[in-house]
Structures are given as C-alpha cells and as structure tokens.
Amino acid sequence: MLKVIHDISTGETTQIDLTQEEINELQNREDQYVKIAYRDKRRNEYPSFTDYLDGIVKGDAAQVQSYIDACLAVKAKYPKPL
C-alpha cells in the first residue's frame, strides 16, 4: 500500500510504501470510525426514552410496544458492525 503526499506549496507528489504497522493502524482507525458512526446514527434516530417510561407509568402496553418497535427498526437500519 502506498501513501501519497502532495506538497501544495511546490506541487510535488511523493509516494511512500507503508509498513504493515502503519497499514494496521489505518485499519484500526477506520474500524473505530465505523463503530462511532453507527452509534451516532442510532442515537440520533432512537425515540425518546420518556415515551417508554410514559407508557410504563400509564400501563399502556401499546405505547411500550410502539417504542420497542421503533428501537428495533433503528437497529435494523443501522446494524452493528462486525
């Protein structure tokens, strides 16, 4: 794998072979980014937990089930990366 460095002041481009350690580090960073991205997407789309608590307090099984269904839909939309 090559790393390309472009010097914007001179316009010069240099290619450098990456070591296996550098390749592994890049892969680890990408894996971390993917994990963070899926969590953020899920967090932004989950319904408010107050909807669930409200349903529990009122004894409204339909409201509780609606909350659970909404959470499961978000999980299906953004599956956990392996």
Side-chain angles (χ1 to χ4, degrees):
M1 178 181 265
L2 294 175
K3 176 168 53 172
V4 177
I5 301 170
H6 185 74
D7 186 331
I8 59 172
S9 62
T10 65
E12 185 177 312
T13 300
T14 307
Q15 293 183 352
I16 301 171
D17 283 324
L18 294 177
T19 65
Q20 188 59 46
E21 185 176 310
E22 290 171 317
I23 293 169
N24 292 343
E25 177 61 30
L26 288 172
Q27 184 63 49
N28 287 338
R29 286 183 188 181
E30 182 180 358
D31 291 347
Q32 285 301 102
Y33 173 76
V34 168
K35 289 177 184 175
I36 291 169
Y38 107 90
R39 285 191 316 232
D40 289 344
K41 289 176 181 176
R42 278 187 176 187
R43 186 180 307 124
N44 292 334
E45 290 199 31
Y46 277 134
S48 172
F49 69 90
T50 57
D51 295 342
Y52 176 79
L53 293 176
D54 185 55
I56 293 292
V57 169
K58 293 188 303 188
D60 186 343
Q63 184 176 347
V64 171
Q65 189 59 52
S66 177
Y67 175 86
I68 292 169
D69 293 343
C71 288
L72 292 175
V74 171
K75 288 179 180 288
K77 184 176 181 182
Y78 302 111
K80 195 179 276 191
L82 300 175

